Amino acid sequence: MSESALSRALSGKALPQRRSVEILFEEASADASKRGIKVGVTLDHLCLLHARAQNGAITPHLSADLESASRELSALRDENDQLRRMIEELGAEHDSLRQQASLKDASLRTLQRKYTVLRRKAASLRERVSLLEAGSPALSPDAPAAAPLPVPRRAGYRQRTELDTAAARNVARRAEALGGDGRQADEVLALLRHTADAYSPAETALLVVLLTQEGQEDLARDLLHIYGRDKPDREVLRTALELLSSGAPGNAEALLLTAAQTRKPHGTA
């Protein structure tokens, strides 16, 4: 029997085996006999006590095991509840993410449709700009000029304004280039006549304003003279209104005076 086993048995922490009890009794009896000491217990009685002790120790041991197993089971249940809550939270988060993804897909499809529409508009604008840069009217020469009605522009009419500005700047650059190259004045006048025939009242008004701002007053006066002389009264009035709305009342007055001077009294509308 090891010292540690004997120590546990003596301290009551563990119950020794029956064979160990028998060996201890035999050794103790022999030692007592040598010393002339009478042993006050028999082996049978000692074995009976051992059996009782063993039977009494089983129940606390089992109770301790049961209590430990109960605590472990409770901990496992708590852990299981926590895991279930985590699963529910993850499921809710998954549903939310799936809903967000669905909304993003719908938004993406909407943006793609808008992008397609904008691409078509951009292609149409590029085509018109190319025609204007080439010096050709956007419509057939036989078709009437595409001019808006003589009414105040509503808010949101930005696209048309940008087109008019681009067309006017194009002619202003071409006229400046012709003058800078030292070409003959009749080429510039031909450009102005073509402009008067092809451009809308809004484009013509913006061109006059741009020419004036860039110091090309002579070209602006020539354009007003050609326009007031050749265009119908209705378009002259539209262009004058556009000049007034652009902050150029002097040019509007010059245009109306030119139109009045070049028309006979009975031909005035």
Side-chain angles (χ1 to χ4, degrees), residues 76-211:
L76 291 175
R77 286 176 176 173
D78 293 340
E79 184 178 359
N80 182 61
D81 292 340
Q82 184 178 2
L83 290 175
R84 183 164 50 245
R85 287 192 297 269
M86 290 177 61
I87 291 174
E88 292 176 355
E89 292 175 358
L90 290 175
E93 184 178 357
H94 177 265
D95 293 339
S96 177
L97 291 175
R98 184 168 54 189
Q99 185 177 5
Q100 292 179 12
S102 178
L103 292 176
K104 288 182 179 180
D105 289 341
S107 177
L108 178 60
R109 288 192 294 270
T110 301
L111 290 176
Q112 287 176 344
R113 288 194 294 268
K114 291 182 179 179
Y115 174 70
T116 302
V117 173
L118 290 176
R119 285 188 60 185
R120 293 174 181 173
K121 290 183 178 180
S124 177
L125 292 178
R126 283 196 297 268
E127 182 179 0
R128 180 173 180 183
V129 170
S130 299
L131 292 174
L132 293 174
E133 289 178 349
S136 301
L139 300 175
S140 172
D142 298 332
L149 294 176
V151 294
R153 293 189 177 187
R154 299 185 300 272
Y157 205 60
R158 181 180 176 184
Q159 179 181 353
R160 179 60 189 272
T161 301
E162 292 175 351
L163 292 174
D164 297 342
T165 303
R169 289 187 183 279
N170 178 54
V171 173
R173 287 195 300 267
R174 294 182 62 195
E176 184 180 3
L178 288 175
D181 292 342
R183 300 188 181 184
Q184 298 179 359
D186 57 350
E187 294 186 37
V188 179
L189 292 177
L191 173 62
L192 295 180
R193 292 192 190 96
H194 176 75
T195 301
D197 292 335
Y199 275 30
S200 67
E203 293 168 343
T204 304
L206 286 173
L207 177 58
V208 171
V209 173
L210 287 175
L211 291 174

Side-chain angles (χ1 to χ4, degrees), residues 14-105:
L15 187 67
Q17 297 180 0
R18 178 170 177 172
R19 178 56 185 161
S20 298
V21 173
E22 292 175 353
I23 293 174
L24 286 173
F25 180 80
E26 291 173 358
E27 293 292 332
S29 296
D31 185 61
S33 178
K34 290 179 182 179
R35 298 184 183 186
I37 300 174
K38 184 178 180 180
V39 179
V41 62
T42 63
L43 179 60
D44 293 337
H45 183 63
L46 183 61
C47 289
L48 179 61
L49 293 176
H50 180 272
R52 290 178 179 177
Q54 188 176 21
N55 292 333
I58 289 176
T59 301
H61 178 71
L62 291 177
S63 299
D65 289 345
L66 180 60
E67 184 179 357
S68 176
S70 177
R71 287 194 299 268
E72 184 177 359
L73 178 61
S74 178
L76 291 175
R77 286 176 176 173
D78 293 340
E79 184 178 359
N80 182 61
D81 292 340
Q82 184 178 2
L83 290 175
R84 183 164 50 245
R85 287 192 297 269
M86 290 177 61
I87 291 174
E88 292 176 355
E89 292 175 358
L90 290 175
E93 184 178 357
H94 177 265
D95 293 339
S96 177
L97 291 175
R98 184 168 54 189
Q99 185 177 5
Q100 292 179 12
S102 178
L103 292 176
K104 288 182 179 180
D105 289 341

